């Protein structure tokens, strides 16, 4: 609507691009649809305001999340940082790019920087907790970051699933189960519960939750089902 009112308003194009990228990340549309719409809007924003760093950061996110073009993402971030000072969003994307390349120390430093730039940015806390700390084995720090993100944005249910993972991997299985149950079915309630029950040696309950995950998530989140099979050591089913 904003672009319809003023087709030259670059901030609206940036917001549209960010929104489509987010839709692609969470799977509300097929990635090829959501991310290509994000790319189209970001390129429009670039044409409308060539001096803005924001479209370059958005394109870096698309390269990181969708294209798997690490070098392209790096080029876009360098262009963004040449045009203006680094902000929370730019530092977060640089952190996630470093993580994608396995540069965990660099990723942590950039993730901490993203939070410092905007301490009330729940997504910066979430990225630092789930993408950086959890995946690099810093589970206590992951838990702390995800707790903070939930304090800032309590209605963001997927973070209950992410926090549940951090708790489960610390062996705090009952607390993890309680956290998984707070997630919606779309956000991993059954997926997380199936893993936590398996970790607790409760195979029948894990089987029941896995069946529920297959019923709920087979179309919109098959990766979650694969995660359960992988966690349970059922490698062939995970690949399937």
């Amino acid at each position: 609507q904003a672009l319809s009112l003023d087709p030259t308003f670059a901030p609206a194009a940036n917001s549209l691009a960010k929104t489509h990228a987010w839709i692609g990340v969470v799977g509300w549309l097929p990635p090829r649809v959501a991310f290509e719409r994000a790319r189209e809007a970001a390129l429009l924003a670039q044409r409308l305001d060539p001096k803005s760093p924001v479209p370059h950061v958005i394109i870096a996110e698309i390269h990181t999340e969708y294209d798997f073009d690490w070098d392209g993402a790096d080029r876009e971030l360098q262009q963004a940082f040449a045009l203006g000072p680094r902000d929370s969003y730019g530092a977060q994307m640089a952190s996630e790019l470093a993580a994608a390349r396995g540069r965990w120390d660099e990723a942590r430093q950039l993730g901490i920087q993203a939070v410092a730039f905007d301490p009330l940015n729940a997504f910066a806390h979430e990225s630092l907790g789930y993408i950086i700390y959890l995946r690099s084995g810093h589970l206590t720090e992951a838990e702390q970051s995800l707790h903070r993100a939930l304090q800032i944005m309590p209605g963001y249910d997927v973070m209950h699933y992410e926090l549940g993972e951090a708790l489960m991997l610390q062996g705090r299985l009952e607390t993890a189960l309680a956290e998984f149950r707070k997630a919606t079915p779309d956000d991993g309630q059954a997926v997380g519960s199936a893993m936590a029950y398996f970790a607790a040696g409760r195979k029948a309950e894990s089987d029941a939750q896995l069946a529920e995950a297959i019923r709920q998530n087979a179309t919109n989140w098959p990766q979650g089902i694969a995660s359960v099979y992988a966690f349970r050591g059922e490698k062939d089913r995970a690949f399937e």
Side-chain angles (χ1 to χ4, degrees):
Q1 288 177 348
L3 277 172
S4 296
L5 290 167
D6 183 357
T8 68
F9 188 45
N14 281 325
S15 293
L16 186 61
K18 280 186 176 183
T19 299
H20 281 310
W22 179 244
I23 287 171
V25 167
V26 297
W28 291 339
L29 282 174
R32 65 183 177 277
V33 175
F35 282 109
E36 291 304 338
R37 289 180 183 175
R39 196 192 316 270
E40 181 182 355
L43 291 172
L44 172 61
Q46 229 172 30
R47 292 194 297 272
L48 293 174
D49 186 1
K51 294 183 179 179
S52 171
V54 178
H56 291 285
V57 179
I58 297 169
I59 294 172
E61 179 177 6
I62 295 166
H63 284 328
T64 302
E65 300 280 359
Y66 174 64
D67 298 327
F68 306 136
D69 177 2
W70 316 141
D71 291 340
D74 189 56
R75 285 193 298 272
E76 292 293 337
L77 287 173
Q78 293 309 315
Q79 290 181 61
F81 301 150
L83 287 167
R86 188 175 300 187
D87 63 1
S88 182
Y89 178 44
Q92 180 187 332
M93 287 304 107
S95 171
E96 293 185 14
L97 175 60
R101 289 171 150 170
R103 301 174 182 172
W104 294 110
D105 288 341
E106 179 185 352
R108 282 192 293 274
Q109 291 168 4
L110 288 163
I112 291 167
Q113 189 178 87
V115 168
F117 280 137
D118 185 357
L120 294 180
N121 181 351
F123 298 117
H125 288 279
E126 180 198 20
S127 175
L128 179 60
Y130 190 64
I131 295 178
I132 312 305
Y133 281 140
L134 186 79
R135 297 178 187 180
S136 59
H138 292 73
L139 301 178
T140 302
E141 292 87 346
E143 178 189 351
Q144 292 168 349
S145 291
L146 291 166
H147 267 304
R148 183 64 184 127
L150 273 167
Q151 286 178 329
I152 296 167
M153 195 185 295
Y156 185 28
D157 288 337
V158 73
M159 283 193 286
H160 289 294
Y161 169 83
E162 295 169 352
L163 178 56
E165 273 200 31
L167 294 164
M168 178 181 69
L169 294 172
Q170 294 178 65
R172 294 159 61 190
L173 301 180
E174 289 302 322
T175 311
L177 272 168
E179 205 63 44
F180 286 136
R181 292 188 190 110
K182 294 177 187 176
T184 65
D186 281 347
D187 289 325
Q189 182 185 86
V191 166
S193 297
M195 290 190 287
Y197 278 129
F198 185 82
R202 297 159 68 175
K203 177 72 162 49
E205 289 157 293
S206 178
D207 288 344
Q209 287 298 309
L210 174 55
E212 188 66 14
I214 291 169
R215 187 183 69 80
Q216 293 172 346
N217 306 118
T219 300
N220 70 332
W221 194 34
Q223 176 201 334
I225 298 163
S227 296
V228 176
Y229 281 127
F231 189 81
R232 289 166 36 132
E234 300 172 55
K235 298 176 185 178
D236 290 341
R237 298 302 298 275
F239 278 113
E240 179 189 340

